Amino acid sequence: QVQLVESGGGLVQAGGSLRLSCAASGSIFSVNAMGWYRQAPGKQRELVARITIGGITNYQDSVKGRFTISRDNARDTAYLQLDNLKPEDTAVYYCFARIVIMSEDNLYWGQGTQVTVSS
């Protein structure tokens, strides 16, 4: 009954910006971490960014200085600000959340949102 809903993808020119959001809902005890993976055609899935309930962040080296992840713990929502986008950022971005329910730590996924950056 836990659900992640994400939005914010789209088509932009190189150098443009987008803002992704991901909201968790349901019977949740604790959301320990949230973030995004991305996968481009023919490429391996890679972690883009994550943020813990305590506010500790991690970023893929290729996006450091361009992407910023933040969260609103009271609303179980995370945001990913994408600035200075490059064509190589084109991918499907999948939100994830590590959620504790009855002492069990599980990984949940959003439906994905397409980010396309033209040159």
Side-chain angles (χ1 to χ4, degrees):
Q1 65 195 80
V2 173
Q3 183 175 236
L4 300 185
V5 178
E6 62 178 305
S7 62
L11 173 63
V12 298
Q13 294 183 357
S17 297
L18 290 169
R19 185 174 177 84
L20 309 184
S21 65
C22 179
S25 63
S27 299
I28 297 171
F29 179 79
S30 178
V31 180
N32 288 342
M34 299 185 72
W36 276 265
Y37 282 80
R38 68 185 180 188
Q39 188 163 29
K43 304 292 185 180
Q44 292 185 340
R45 184 191 67 175
E46 64 179 1
L47 178 67
V48 180
R50 66 156 59 93
I51 185 166
T52 72
I53 192 170
I56 299 172
T57 59
N58 292 282
Y59 295 95
Q60 169 76 21
D61 285 344
S62 64
V63 309
K64 288 181 179 178
R66 299 188 297 118
F67 293 5
T68 304
I69 191 168
S70 60
R71 87 295 178 198
D72 184 341
N73 288 338
R75 301 174 183 174
D76 292 330
T77 301
Y79 306 92
L80 187 65
Q81 179 69 36
L82 317 178
D83 292 323
N84 192 23
L85 283 161
K86 304 177 183 296
E88 50 263 46
D89 295 318
T90 296
V92 178
Y93 286 66
Y94 295 94
C95 173
F96 73 88
R98 292 180 56 234
I99 299 175
V100 175
I101 303 175
M102 298 183 66
S103 301
E104 295 186 3
D105 190 340
N106 297 295
L107 185 64
Y108 292 86
W109 294 92
Q111 80 280 6
T113 186
Q114 176 71 48
V115 171
T116 302
V117 184
S118 65
S119 59

